[in-house]
Amino acid sequence: MAATADRIQMVSSDITQMTVDAIVNAANRSLLGGGGVDGAIHRAAGPELLAECRTLDGCETGQAKITRGYRLPARHVIHTVGPVWQGGRQDEPELLAACYRNSLQLGVENGVRSFAFPAISCGVYGYPVAEAARIAVREVRRFLASDERIETVYLVCFGPDVRQAYQQALSER
Ligand code: ADP
């Protein structure tokens, strides 16, 4: 088994192009599509993805649901709902951490060995990027340390601000 550090990889990419077992979608509670990464994933996956999402009855903030990937290179999409940043006193850090944990857990239960995560809540939902990156890195590290089945978790950067924040978070212990 590779060391935990080698199983976390930062990449600059469009997540819809990634060949992994599952990409994670920063969705909204309806799971019926939106802008940002959610819109890009639905466009790339095709209308079958929306049809499956309609059967899921939405998703609570911090929770996750899994679908097939349809026309994506990824076999699965794990849909999770990040918190909207409201200043930090509405459980945003715990809810964001739960997104990472619950997505990883649900993936593992479905045989997922490689994951790609966008920077959940760092777009329209307004989460401060440096803090969100620290939470993402902490939760992925913890999960990998306790689970030997996962091969690689890619933290996908879409833009220089997120890239810089992950670089900093990964350099901290
Ligand atoms: P949220 O509503 O959770 O904030 P957004 O989709 O607005 O979700 O943004 C989350 C992150 O996903 C942002 O850092 C944004 O730059 C990034 N993002 C947007 N499109 C893509 C894409 N195609 N691939 C990877 N990341 C993306």
Side-chain angles (χ1 to χ4, degrees):
M1 173 57 56
T4 296
D6 299 333
R7 295 153 71 207
I8 307 182
Q9 301 282 333
M10 185 178 81
V11 289
S12 290
S13 175
D14 174 350
I15 204 167
T16 65
Q17 302 300 308
M18 291 197 65
T19 304
V20 284
D21 293 339
I23 64 171
V24 177
N25 182 14
N28 57 49
R29 288 167 40 153
S30 76
L31 297 185
L32 299 182
V37 73
D38 194 2
I41 288 171
H42 276 276
R43 277 194 299 279
E48 298 92 341
L49 179 60
L50 183 59
E52 184 173 357
C53 284
R54 283 192 208 286
T55 70
L56 297 178
D57 197 26
C59 183
E60 293 300 323
T61 304
Q63 301 298 306
K65 295 200 175 174
I66 192 166
T67 65
R68 293 169 54 196
Y70 299 98
R71 300 178 198 178
L72 293 165
R75 186 175 320 149
H76 297 285
V77 180
I78 295 170
H79 308 261
T80 190
V81 183
V84 177
W85 179 256
Q86 298 177 77
R89 294 189 181 166
Q90 306 293 323
D91 275 344
E92 295 96 323
E94 183 45 42
L95 289 166
L96 185 61
C99 287
Y100 285 91
R101 282 198 300 271
N102 288 327
S103 296
L104 290 164
Q105 183 62 37
L106 183 61
V108 164
E109 286 165 9
N110 284 274
V112 173
R113 299 291 175 261
S114 56
F115 295 77
F117 279 89
I120 299 163
S121 288
C122 289
V124 175
Y125 281 6
Y127 210 107
V129 175
E131 205 181 316
R134 243 178 260 126
I135 291 169
V137 167
R138 183 191 73 209
E139 292 304 324
V140 172
R141 278 181 176 155
R142 275 188 193 155
F143 203 96
L144 289 177
S146 71
D147 190 292
E148 298 197 335
R149 291 166 291 185
I150 297 175
E151 286 159 13
T152 312
V153 175
Y154 295 95
L155 297 175
V156 179
C157 311
F158 202 67
D161 55 334
V162 170
R163 188 176 179 85
Q164 203 188 359
Y166 277 136
Q167 242 154 13
Q168 177 64 35
L170 286 164
S171 73
E172 296 165 2
R173 278 178 48 86

